[in-house]
Amino acid sequence: MRATDVDDAHGRGSANIEGSPVVCGPAAPTASSAAVLGPLRFDAVRLADGGQLGAWQALNRAATIDHCVAHLESSGNLDNVRRLVGASTEDYRGYWFADSDVYKVLEAIGWETGRAGDAGWDGFVSATVWLLRSAQESDGYLNSWMQGLHPERRWAALEHSHELYCLGHLVQAAVAMSRAAGRDDLLTVARDFADLAVRELGEGGIEAIDGHPEVETALVELYRHTGERAYLALAARMVELRGRGLLPHGRFGAQYLQDHAPVREVTEAIGHAVRQLYLAAGVTDVYLETGDETLLASMEALWRSVYEEKTYITGAHGSRHRDEAFGDPYELPPDRAYAETCAAVASFMWNWRLLLATGHGRYAEEMERALYNAIAASTALDGRHFFYSNPLHLRAGHDGSNEDAPSERLSWYGCSCCPPNLARLMASLHHYVATGDEHGIQLHLLTAGRVAAGPATLDVATDYPWDGRVEIAVEGPAAEWELALRIPAWCARATVTIDGQAQDAAVDDRGYVRLRRAWGGSSRVVLELDMPVRVIAAHPRVDAVRGCGALARGPLVYCVEQADHGDVAVEDLRLDPDDPPQPGEADAALGVPVTLVGKAAVDGSSPGALYGDYAGPVPVSDVAPLKAIPYFRWANRGPNPMRVWIPMR
Amino acid sequence: MRATDVDDAHGRGSANIEGSPVVCGPAAPTASSAAVLGPLRFDAVRLADGGQLGAWQALNRAATIDHCVAHLESSGNLDNVRRLVGASTEDYRGYWFADSDVYKVLEAIGWETGRAGDAGWDGFVSATVWLLRSAQESDGYLNSWMQGLHPERRWAALEHSHELYCLGHLVQAAVAMSRAAGRDDLLTVARDFADLAVRELGEGGIEAIDGHPEVETALVELYRHTGERAYLALAARMVELRGRGLLPHGRFGAQYLQDHAPVREVTEAIGHAVRQLYLAAGVTDVYLETGDETLLASMEALWRSVYEEKTYITGAHGSRHRDEAFGDPYELPPDRAYAETCAAVASFMWNWRLLLATGHGRYAEEMERALYNAIAASTALDGRHFFYSNPLHLRAGHDGSNEDAPSERLSWYGCSCCPPNLARLMASLHHYVATGDEHGIQLHLLTAGRVAAGPATLDVATDYPWDGRVEIAVEGPAAEWELALRIPAWCARATVTIDGQAQDAAVDDRGYVRLRRAWGGSSRVVLELDMPVRVIAAHPRVDAVRGCGALARGPLVYCVEQADHGDVAVEDLRLDPDDPPQPGEADAALGVPVTLVGKAAVDGSSPGALYGDYAGPVPVSDVAPLKAIPYFRWANRGPNPMRVWIPMR
């Protein structure tokens, strides 16, 4: 296999522009982009149903997407559009950005249809596209809140109206439908609206940005999909206009709207986490297509702020409920973690773009961390209940009456941005497993499945994340190319054999073992990652978890939940870092192959005074069994206290 | 002196109803009330200018009140009323409860005038009362927001309108003006509005409560002041109607409005802290005047929730910025402490009522804790800058751009409820020092000044809170009575002498040393309170301060501030609990007679990875000087990091 075979096959380049929509997944830089890695074709990877990623994707297909479709009906999102064409007499319901949920569900259906075929959604899609087309103004404008309630306010209240945010999600849905489901009717709707935005808000038009970034990344993708540079220009213009004070600031300040400073001057992530991360994805996309290195430099500085000072161990973001915002450096309270599901999804998307831009494994590492913890925890075992906020600690006596901090997952939310966001990500999840470049194939997420990159195929057999052994059967014609395997940062020791022969498993400065050789016929690569239980400590300035350890194994963060601890309060468990729990039996009811079991000391001081003279370390009264389960499986047994960070003896 | 002399003198009883308004302070239970202690006359206590409480009161007179008056003009509060009578063409400015700030300033002026005479406010008061009278509807209604912008919505949006909240503050201002400043014109305005509320919202009228409790305690006081039982009945009715679902709930839920459960069923403080605490003061007032023991029982249960699980070491309340709310039990983050100044003032007021109701020193203890820490910290040295939120930790790199968490005190706020609340409390502060009952006199706050309770006078000389020695010269005719001295809970050892003779200094179960004897002529009581530096630890479930100690001495909580630590980051200081800093030299610039000085180890790990495998306790690299100042004096040297809770080695 020649390197160019791989390059041709991975879907990167002009294929998308030249009319092979099925080739591309959600984010497909053009051939002229600055990307150093390219996504594979959208159909190049097939996840095994038995693997964890495949299981999540299957659950999305079997449960989550239909659940979302049903809620678009029952929550009024569709009626909001119908009332514009006289097809509903209901009042407008939900938030002003309710249209975006419709679009995200359509996007999910688009990817899922392309991945595995229609599952009865076609009628819904056709009816909804027809409805949207019917409701669309003749000039292309489409927004059920503004058209229905404030038609005179078009573009006039972008600090909160989400008009461009909704346009962005419409565009992403249309791209998915066009690329993966093979229908372009929604693309026509989206382009008409996007063309209006270009005419009215583009060069020479109104200087406008949206209080909620999202349209930037969408417009770049629309450029990639259609070849129309005006979309890229509008995205770039909106990146440039940000931080110039165009938006009136409300009580949460300019940072809430990500309008506090020009993009290139921002070195710290502050304000609304989802908005910051969507913006970062858009800026990175603009870099990829323009090659403006100053944008990449600003994104790398921002990345350091986010991931070196403001990220939960679960890969989640947002320390504050008040304004859904990043906190100060090291402000990472587990109990009041906002950790919005959409922020984790946005983080995943941003890191994917940085991975393509740089080829550095640290970005794939953050994708993996978020995926297996913050993102996975958002969905219940039934695929029909979701967390919006993903705390790392639920206190005994928690008041779960507010939907921003419930005691268990809810089936839907007043602001239900997260469930459809999960649906669209899961439907395209396989797409993020591997990339290609002129050297060969890079495997970023180690999961069971099949990767077909041009003539070479990789059959990956593994129980990862439960086990560190990864067997890869490589098949293909004779050719020299490089198979790059990302070695997760948590792994202290990895070995690699090819057909039984030990290989140099040195990890390079980008985080990969690179197996360059003349491949051909069948080869069997075995990667063994040491996967001991780890006791993680946080930087001492993370005051909220001082003196605590978190249990992890492989990419999974574990937690202790009251359901496993009988009469012993999980709040009172004390972890011995020198004798942490070890891999134990499966929990079949939770679908967990590996729990961690051991013993813990028990705090003997409760109840007691709130404050008192310090009298030495807290006494322990007893020893009790400790059982830890993966964080992503918590809260599947009714509301009960939970801790990720466990005080140490 | 006969016991009845004391009883006559302390201002408790029917004097207020029978027309001796100057006798009473802000909360004066009637003679028929269930109170076991009675307030002294409003003029019975004189604070020494040299004492800390006296100094605060003097600063309020010299700076804060005038500052507030100026801001009522510049921030639009007065124009909001003027526009109702055509005397202003300005748009309405500020929040819908802006009237309440006018009332709180008038209340402050009322008490201050009664305490120490007019200081040039008379013209302002007369003009403002005239303005209010002019704007008042003929039926008594008065609310500049509703009259000016929503005249058709009277009583119809009480979940947010604050109409009764504003009425409450009008009533309290009127009572202060009548009792202390000797003018009844504002009382006429207040009674006309209150009478309207009785007619329209009383028995047989609309069932209504305000989303922001406050009117309940005010109406009880208006009953006490006028003898009109209809006001008490309306207050009691509103207590009974609470928690019945009368208010539509917004995104913060019923608890935000304190409408989540009937008062008697509430055992945990949840929701908006100020609303909860004002409501508690009102419920306690209703108990005092009705003797309904079920109300007292519910308040005692609520008190345990607040003070045993949800109070900051500074006496502050409210762990959440999002909804200005109490958190779950033990959820007390120092950095994101909301700790609203008004909540501390409300706590002070509630505990005063419980102290009168029960005679138990624990309530005076909480008054003192809040006063010297949370409340005192709210005001800058200049008396013209204030904290609304009172964090116990300001991080390095803190973004202080939002007014809910600024890096230093602001001169005024968009929601500026706190500065005038401080002004009205400080103007009446002397009133809370002592009480009387049939046994004698109780000294609750040990501060320099003079207490004249009937024929007996107590001249109190002390440098408290800087020193534990309290000398009391008792003068008066021969009589047997009891002098009760509250021994603060922080004091492990106290001694008492009278005229040099050691006394039994056993503290009774209410927290007092009781000196019952035949007094007469002159006696010299000397109380010596041991006042060592204490290292305080929190209950182990207060996760946010695990492994940390707080420094305290006497009633004062201390903190470390970057301004005293040069190049060593206060975030990196490590306290040795076995060798805490000791009393050191005064800091004249800060007005602090006693700082704490010593040494601290320094965390040698910064900067470092956000997460990593646990590798034992954080290494220390060095030893550095540590200087702690009283928490209440922090942030008087520009924005800089600060910690109350210091990690321990």
Side-chain angles (χ1 to χ4, degrees), chain B residues 258-280:
Chain B
Q258 295 298 318
D259 193 30
H260 52 291
V263 162
R264 287 179 191 76
E265 294 172 19
V266 169
T267 57
E268 182 180 0
I270 63 171
H272 193 287
V274 176
R275 298 176 193 222
Q276 172 68 92
L277 294 166
Y278 275 160
L279 175 61

Side-chain angles (χ1 to χ4, degrees), chain B residues 96-268:
Chain B
W96 38 96
F97 45 84
D99 290 356
S100 63
D101 293 338
V102 177
Y103 302 142
K104 282 192 276 192
V105 175
L106 287 172
E107 183 186 342
I109 292 173
W111 297 126
E112 186 60 28
T113 301
R115 184 185 77 83
D118 180 39
W121 302 308
D122 191 60
F124 164 76
V125 173
S126 292
T128 304
V129 174
W130 176 88
L131 175 64
L132 292 166
R133 190 53 165 169
S134 304
Q136 188 167 35
E137 304 277 351
S138 58
D139 65 359
Y141 189 84
L142 179 58
N143 184 292
S144 73
W145 167 263
M146 297 298 284
Q147 288 171 267
L149 302 179
H150 304 284
E152 78 294 354
R153 301 275 290 157
R154 188 194 284 192
W155 311 138
L158 282 167
E159 71 278 12
H160 72 259
S161 69
H162 287 61
E163 289 157 277
L164 296 170
Y165 170 86
C166 289
L167 167 59
H169 280 299
L170 169 60
V171 163
Q172 290 180 327
V175 167
M177 280 290 167
S178 178
R179 284 182 179 166
R183 55 188 300 167
D184 282 351
D185 49 356
L186 190 61
L187 187 64
T188 305
V189 176
R191 288 198 68 169
D192 283 356
F193 192 4
D195 290 344
L196 174 73
V198 167
R199 287 194 307 276
E200 299 196 343
L201 310 180
E203 192 68 31
I206 303 165
E207 292 195 330
I209 58 173
D210 197 288
H212 199 314
E214 207 285 333
V215 74
E216 297 82 0
T217 188
L219 285 171
V220 174
E221 209 60 39
L222 190 59
Y223 152 67
R224 290 167 177 159
H225 188 63
T226 64
E228 174 53 69
R229 294 193 67 86
Y231 303 135
L232 174 61
L234 182 58
R237 173 176 163 88
M238 287 173 170
V239 165
E240 298 300 331
L241 289 175
R242 201 158 279 278
R244 314 285 175 186
L246 289 179
L247 299 174
H249 305 152
R251 69 180 276 242
F252 295 148
Q255 63 267 44
Y256 181 75
L257 308 171
Q258 295 298 318
D259 193 30
H260 52 291
V263 162
R264 287 179 191 76
E265 294 172 19
V266 169
T267 57
E268 182 180 0

Side-chain angles (χ1 to χ4, degrees), chain A residues 265-410:
Chain A
E265 294 172 19
V266 169
T267 56
E268 183 181 358
I270 63 171
H272 193 286
V274 176
R275 298 176 193 223
Q276 171 69 90
L277 294 166
Y278 276 160
L279 175 61
V283 172
T284 307
D285 273 328
V286 171
Y287 158 71
L288 281 165
E289 299 304 337
T290 65
D292 180 344
E293 296 281 350
T294 63
L295 290 177
L296 180 61
S298 74
M299 287 302 97
E300 288 178 327
L302 182 71
W303 191 92
R304 288 191 293 275
S305 166
V306 172
Y307 296 95
E308 294 177 4
E309 294 182 339
K310 302 191 176 189
T311 297
Y312 283 98
I313 192 172
T314 56
H317 297 106
S319 306
R320 298 178 180 175
H321 283 243
R322 173 178 174 271
D323 44 358
E324 311 188 293
F326 285 106
D328 290 334
Y330 304 112
E331 178 192 322
L332 292 163
D335 50 353
R336 289 294 283 172
Y338 195 64
E340 185 181 338
T341 300
C342 286
V345 171
S347 168
F348 188 92
M349 292 176 173
W350 180 32
N351 276 287
W352 172 248
R353 286 155 177 79
L354 285 170
L355 176 64
L356 300 182
T358 67
H360 202 296
R362 63 173 164 251
Y363 305 117
E365 184 81 22
E366 292 300 340
M367 292 168 65
E368 180 169 270
R369 173 152 67 155
L371 180 60
Y372 279 107
N373 300 287
I375 293 172
S378 306
T379 305
L381 275 170
D382 68 2
R384 294 184 175 89
H385 293 80
F386 311 92
F387 276 127
Y388 182 116
S389 169
N390 292 277
L392 285 75
H393 177 193
L394 192 89
R395 291 181 175 280
H398 175 64
D399 168 23
S401 62
N402 270 327
E403 79 167 28
D404 80 311
S407 296
E408 52 185 345
R409 297 173 188 84
L410 306 180

Side-chain angles (χ1 to χ4, degrees), chain A residues 95 251-253 255 268 270 306-313 320-323 328-332 335-336 369 393 395-399 401-402 404 534-544 546-548 569 571-572 574 577 603 605-614 618 643 645 647-648, chain B residues 95 251-253 255 268 270 306-313 320-323 328-332 335-336 369 393 395-399 401-402 404 534-544 546-548 569 571-572 574 577 603 605-614 618 643 645 647-648:
Chain A
Y95 282 97
R251 69 180 277 240
F252 295 147
Q255 62 267 44
E268 183 181 358
I270 63 171
V306 172
Y307 296 95
E308 294 177 4
E309 294 182 339
K310 302 191 176 189
T311 297
Y312 283 98
I313 192 172
R320 298 178 180 175
H321 283 243
R322 173 178 174 271
D323 44 358
D328 290 334
Y330 304 112
E331 178 192 322
L332 292 163
D335 50 353
R336 289 294 283 172
R369 173 152 67 155
H393 177 193
R395 291 181 175 280
H398 175 64
D399 168 23
S401 62
N402 270 327
D404 80 311
R534 284 139 40 230
V535 177
I536 310 290
H539 189 286
R541 288 200 185 180
V542 186
D543 299 274
R546 188 182 312 288
C548 293
E571 301 280 16
D572 290 339
R574 293 294 177 270
D603 170 13
S605 66
S606 302
L610 187 53
Y611 303 107
D613 290 353
Y614 176 72
V618 174
R643 293 191 74 109
W645 291 98
M648 294 188 291
Chain B
Y95 283 96
R251 69 180 276 242
F252 295 148
Q255 63 267 44
E268 182 180 0
I270 63 171
V306 172
Y307 296 96
E308 294 177 5
E309 295 182 339
K310 302 191 178 190
T311 298
Y312 282 99
I313 193 174
R320 298 178 180 177
H321 283 243
R322 173 178 174 271
D323 45 357
D328 289 334
Y330 305 111
E331 178 192 323
L332 293 163
D335 50 353
R336 290 294 285 174
R369 172 152 66 154
H393 177 193
R395 291 183 177 278
H398 175 64
D399 168 22
S401 62
N402 270 326
D404 80 312
R534 283 137 41 226
V535 177
I536 310 290
H539 189 286
R541 288 201 185 179
V542 185
D543 300 275
R546 187 181 313 287
C548 293
E571 301 280 16
D572 289 339
R574 294 294 177 268
D603 170 13
S605 66
S606 302
L610 188 51
Y611 302 107
D613 289 353
Y614 176 71
V618 174
R643 293 190 75 109
W645 290 98
M648 294 188 291

Side-chain angles (χ1 to χ4, degrees), chain A residues 315-649:
Chain A
H317 297 106
S319 306
R320 298 178 180 175
H321 283 243
R322 173 178 174 271
D323 44 358
E324 311 188 293
F326 285 106
D328 290 334
Y330 304 112
E331 178 192 322
L332 292 163
D335 50 353
R336 289 294 283 172
Y338 195 64
E340 185 181 338
T341 300
C342 286
V345 171
S347 168
F348 188 92
M349 292 176 173
W350 180 32
N351 276 287
W352 172 248
R353 286 155 177 79
L354 285 170
L355 176 64
L356 300 182
T358 67
H360 202 296
R362 63 173 164 251
Y363 305 117
E365 184 81 22
E366 292 300 340
M367 292 168 65
E368 180 169 270
R369 173 152 67 155
L371 180 60
Y372 279 107
N373 300 287
I375 293 172
S378 306
T379 305
L381 275 170
D382 68 2
R384 294 184 175 89
H385 293 80
F386 311 92
F387 276 127
Y388 182 116
S389 169
N390 292 277
L392 285 75
H393 177 193
L394 192 89
R395 291 181 175 280
H398 175 64
D399 168 23
S401 62
N402 270 327
E403 79 167 28
D404 80 311
S407 296
E408 52 185 345
R409 297 173 188 84
L410 306 180
S411 66
W412 207 247
Y413 286 80
C415 173
S416 217
C417 47
C418 298
N421 220 354
L422 290 163
R424 69 179 184 135
L425 175 65
M426 287 298 152
S428 54
L429 190 59
H430 59 289
H431 184 61
Y432 300 98
V433 163
T435 56
D437 68 1
E438 68 274 23
H439 305 295
I441 301 171
Q442 302 81 39
L443 209 51
H444 306 288
L445 301 178
L446 303 166
T447 192
R450 185 163 216 247
V451 177
T457 61
L458 314 177
D459 273 302
V460 184
T462 179
D463 286 330
Y464 192 92
W466 309 107
D467 187 85
R469 183 177 175 88
V470 182
E471 301 182 6
I472 308 170
V474 181
E475 288 267 350
E480 182 178 329
W481 55 280
E482 179 185 283
L483 174 61
L485 304 175
R486 190 177 65 84
I487 307 302
W490 52 259
C491 178
R493 185 172 162 276
T495 61
V496 179
T497 63
I498 300 180
D499 296 329
Q501 299 293 90
Q503 306 291 310
D504 175 11
V507 181
D508 76 355
D509 59 2
R510 293 183 171 193
Y512 294 81
V513 166
R514 297 188 188 272
L515 306 172
R516 183 165 194 94
R517 60 171 357 218
W519 301 88
S522 297
S523 308
R524 180 180 168 81
V525 179
V526 178
L527 170 66
E528 286 269 10
L529 303 171
D530 269 13
M531 197 182 270
V533 174
R534 284 139 40 230
V535 177
I536 310 290
H539 189 286
R541 288 200 185 180
V542 186
D543 299 274
V545 300
R546 188 182 312 288
C548 293
L551 296 168
R553 183 169 174 272
L556 300 177
V557 174
Y558 278 69
C559 69
V560 287
E561 199 176 17
Q562 192 59 55
D564 292 312
H565 292 89
D567 293 339
V568 178
V570 294
E571 301 280 16
D572 290 339
L573 295 174
R574 293 294 177 270
L575 177 68
D576 182 350
D578 298 324
D579 185 21
Q582 294 301 316
E585 63 186 15
D587 189 317
L590 287 179
V592 170
V594 182
T595 63
L596 305 184
V597 295
K599 295 205 174 295
V602 180
D603 170 13
S605 66
S606 302
L610 187 53
Y611 303 107
D613 290 353
Y614 176 72
V618 174
V620 293
S621 64
D622 209 347
V623 171
L626 181 153
K627 176 178 174 182
I629 62 168
Y631 169 72
F632 78 80
R633 282 297 194 227
W634 87 280
N636 276 294
R637 295 173 290 187
N640 71 154
M642 178 276 294
R643 293 191 74 109
V644 166
W645 291 98
I646 310 170
M648 294 188 291
R649 290 188 59 172

